Amino acid sequence: MGISNLKSRIDEEISRKLDIKSFSSTTTTLHIADLGCSVGPETYSAMQDIVESIELKYISEGLNSQIPEFLVFFNDFSSNDFNTLFSALSPNKKYFAAAVPGSFYQRLFAERSLHFVYSSHSLQWLSKVPADLVDQNSLAWNKGMVFYTNAPKAVVEAYSAQFAEDMDSFLCARAEELVRGGMMTLLMPGLSDETPLSECSHCMLYDLLGSCLLEMTQMGLVSEEKVDSFNYPMYIASPKELQGLVEKNKSFIIESMEMVSPLTMEDEMPSAQVFTMQLRDGMQKPIKEHFGAEIDLDDLFDRFSKKIADSSHLIEENYKKPNHLFMVLLKLGD
Ligand SMILES: C[S@@+](CC[C@H](N)C(=O)[O-])C[C@H]1O[C@@H](n2cnc3c(N)ncnc32)[C@H](O)[C@@H]1O
């Protein structure tokens, strides 16, 4: 699901804050990375837009003769279908392209080699499920649940601690890879500081999927033990939480941080099928890895689609509120 005015927000930040003068005299190739790019199509337009915004910035500063060439690194796990991604790249694109496989929670690029980092809808994925959630002796044992929305405090804390650890690894890796003044724009599902967890629109969707899994357990279609040991490896952060993590890391300044909406009040809500397809895209892999052949994924997502259709008013009400976190960070000097 796109964010309606994200392009103009990124354009504005590049125009206002990207310090091209600090690298224009020495840089003939500008390096941009999309972290968690998947297989398209969102990454194509995002990368093209960023390249065009940076070109405009050079022109507006009278540096036409110094407009660099652009090299875009498309990053995702090595299991990502990079062939599909690269076979649909436009022949008219204004950049060279390369794939960089691997987890963005580790170093992926050479020291001080990146000028711009973009990541959309990827940082909510944790590097792993916190171990305590499946430890029967831990207060954070998440028996009978697959997420933290209605779980005991210890479960919420275990998730939040894992997110903090991952975010710190992400920021440390990028701090080494970005040049001074390099910009990072990050978009991820979020929860505004004022919204209680019980009203988190993303969590509602995950909880609906969780209720389908529990229903299938009650019907004997999947084993209870498998559901007890399954937890979504994702986390929905708030601006306050992220601000604290960035400040603690000390490598970046926060240029901008705001909650944005995927839909305006006038937009049509996506259908239950579209919601199901999008959720299935992300969730299918961890579910399949955990449950193996035991689970009928079509059955699971059919149940989910029906539940979405039944709760459409609730989802619409919540989905039109700002529920994504958009953040712009600038790399500080060493
Ligand atoms: C929902 S897709 C987002 C795709 C695209 N960026 C967009 O905005 O539509 C999330 C992507 O992040 C990738 N991803 C999740 N964790 C990652 C990690 N640690 N390192 C690299 N990629 C990761 C997933 O493989 C997936 O392709």
Side-chain angles (χ1 to χ4, degrees):
M1 205 175 296
I3 303 284
S4 46
N5 64 353
L6 192 67
K7 175 183 173 345
S8 56
R9 282 292 294 110
I10 293 180
D11 191 54
E12 197 182 309
E13 292 294 341
I14 289 175
S15 151
R16 275 190 330 114
K17 283 289 166 183
L18 187 64
D19 183 14
I20 54 168
K21 287 214 167 97
S22 73
F23 39 79
S24 61
S25 57
T26 48
T27 307
T28 51
T29 308
L30 218 128
H31 294 164
I32 301 171
D34 182 359
L35 306 182
C37 61
S38 190
V39 294
E42 281 77 8
T43 189
Y44 306 132
S45 48
M47 293 305 102
Q48 189 72 9
D49 291 345
I50 289 168
V51 166
E52 285 173 3
S53 294
I54 299 177
E55 278 184 345
L56 274 180
K57 168 91 176 173
Y58 271 80
I59 294 168
S60 72
E61 300 216 352
L63 298 170
N64 308 41
S65 62
Q66 290 180 37
I67 292 179
E69 292 193 308
F70 293 89
L71 173 55
V72 171
F73 297 109
F74 291 95
N75 156 260
D76 208 295
F77 290 121
S78 54
S79 54
N80 187 53
D81 185 356
F82 284 104
N83 286 334
T84 296
L85 170 68
F86 281 97
S87 56
L89 275 179
S90 162
N92 301 322
K93 64 186 170 31
K94 293 180 159 181
Y95 53 83
F96 298 98
V100 174
S103 171
F104 49 55
Y105 291 125
Q106 298 165 8
R107 281 285 303 278
L108 292 166
F109 304 95
E111 218 175 62
R112 277 175 253 177
S113 64
L114 292 179
H115 301 90
F116 197 98
V117 168
Y118 167 91
S119 181
S120 153
H121 289 100
S122 303
L123 278 162
Q124 73 276 21
W125 289 101
L126 300 172
S127 65
K128 59 175 191 252
V129 168
D132 283 354
L133 301 186
V134 289
D135 176 356
Q136 301 194 11
N137 300 316
S138 163
L139 283 176
W141 183 32
N142 203 18
K143 183 174 165 49
M145 278 180 264
V146 294
F147 203 37
Y148 59 86
T149 326
N150 298 304
K153 197 164 162 242
V155 173
V156 183
E157 285 170 356
Y159 265 102
S160 154
Q162 184 63 50
F163 179 75
E165 186 186 319
D166 286 344
M167 201 61 205
D168 195 56
S169 306
F170 179 86
L171 293 172
C172 286
R174 302 299 84 76
E176 292 190 49
E177 296 164 349
L178 274 154
V179 299
R180 189 174 59 81
M183 182 176 273
M184 188 145 75
T185 61
L186 308 176
L187 177 75
M188 63 187 100
L191 180 69
S192 72
D193 294 326
E194 313 74 50
T195 310
L197 194 52
S198 57
E199 286 172 30
C200 161
S201 49
H202 306 284
C203 307
M204 272 180 209
L205 294 182
Y206 304 138
D207 287 344
L208 275 186
L209 186 63
S211 70
C212 299
L213 278 169
L214 293 176
E215 200 174 276
M216 287 171 82
T217 316
Q218 280 149 16
M219 296 174 78
L221 299 171
V222 283
S223 74
E224 196 179 334
E225 181 274 326
K226 277 274 184 198
V227 175
D228 279 349
S229 55
F230 180 68
N231 293 283
Y232 301 137
M234 57 165 53
Y235 186 74
I236 311 296
S238 69
K240 208 186 236 168
E241 204 169 1
L242 262 171
Q243 181 182 347
L245 296 175
V246 176
E247 286 173 359
K248 190 163 165 234
N249 178 272
K250 295 194 173 79
S251 304
F252 295 89
I253 51 164
I254 301 174
E255 186 43 48
S256 168
M257 164 113 63
E258 64 192 280
M259 292 297 295
V260 292
S261 306
L263 299 167
T264 66
M265 284 303 170
E266 294 73 44
D267 284 335
E268 284 263 319
M269 276 298 283
S271 64
Q273 284 94 323
V274 170
F275 263 116
T276 307
M277 208 179 66
Q278 284 175 345
L279 199 99
R280 186 168 180 165
D281 255 5
M283 286 295 188
Q284 177 160 275
K285 191 166 159 251
I287 294 179
K288 209 167 159 179
E289 271 170 15
H290 183 82
F291 290 92
E294 182 180 334
I295 196 159
D296 177 345
L297 287 172
D298 290 335
D299 182 10
L300 173 67
F301 286 100
D302 279 351
R303 287 169 193 272
F304 175 74
S305 187
K306 287 193 191 101
K307 284 194 196 246
I308 287 274
D310 291 346
S311 324
S312 57
H313 62 286
L314 198 69
I315 294 186
E316 171 154 13
E317 206 176 283
N318 279 285
Y319 239 79
K320 293 198 166 175
K321 294 179 187 160
N323 68 354
H324 281 70
L325 221 162
F326 175 64
M327 178 164 59
V328 181
L329 304 181
L330 289 176
K331 168 75 175 46
L332 287 166
D334 297 322

